[in-house]
Amino acid sequence: MSEKIALVLMAGPEMPCRMIHTFLWALDIEGRGGDARVVLEGEAPRWLLKLTDPDHGRHRLYDKVKEMGLIDAVCKACAVQAQAVEVAAEEGLRLVYDASGHVSLVPYAREGYRIVTL
């Protein structure tokens, strides 16, 4: 499989199903030989305040996705709003602000990624 898919998670903790599916799909794409990238935009950086807690029920899923390097970008403007900038930095996640403070999708499109927004 040579699929390249960028999964843009916009939903925050009030929509756990979207986060779970984003991470599961990223793992599935990679497991089948594809190239997945996860972008945390909108309300999604708020997840960093919860998922980094080892006692959170989805911490292991988050940790696996993070350790595999699948979280490619965290929107800096949204992380500021969510008060998650420090956590993103501590987690070694890349804060991106190349589109008026948000993550530009143009580089993904130019590199041949299909963009899926959740």
Side-chain angles (χ1 to χ4, degrees), residues 46-62:
R46 290 176 41 221
W47 274 113
L48 298 175
L49 303 173
K50 297 185 176 290
L51 293 174
T52 54
D53 178 356
D55 293 329
H56 190 280
R58 297 295 179 195
H59 172 76
R60 287 179 45 202
L61 176 61
Y62 160 76

Side-chain angles (χ1 to χ4, degrees), residues 10-118:
M10 300 284 294
E14 64 285 342
M15 296 181 148
C17 187
R18 290 187 186 198
M19 176 275 297
I20 293 166
H21 281 84
T22 298
F23 289 175
L24 290 176
W25 287 337
L27 292 170
D28 182 54
I29 292 163
E30 288 286 321
R32 294 172 186 257
D35 183 357
R37 305 280 172 95
V38 174
V39 175
L40 303 181
E41 257 288 0
E43 297 293 322
R46 290 176 41 221
W47 274 113
L48 298 175
L49 303 173
K50 297 185 176 290
L51 293 174
T52 54
D53 178 356
D55 293 329
H56 190 280
R58 297 295 179 195
H59 172 76
R60 287 179 45 202
L61 176 61
Y62 160 76
D63 206 43
K64 184 172 185 178
V65 169
K66 183 188 81 164
E67 291 303 316
M68 289 180 67
L70 301 181
I71 301 175
D72 190 56
V74 176
C75 171
K76 185 174 183 181
C78 297
V80 167
Q81 185 69 27
Q83 299 179 353
V85 171
E86 188 174 313
V87 174
E90 289 170 359
E91 290 291 296
L93 301 174
R94 189 169 68 105
L95 289 163
V96 179
Y97 50 92
D98 55 352
S100 299
H102 299 274
V103 178
S104 175
L105 298 180
V106 172
Y108 296 100
R110 282 189 180 143
E111 292 179 28
Y113 286 85
R114 281 194 269 164
I115 299 167
V116 177
T117 305
L118 294 109

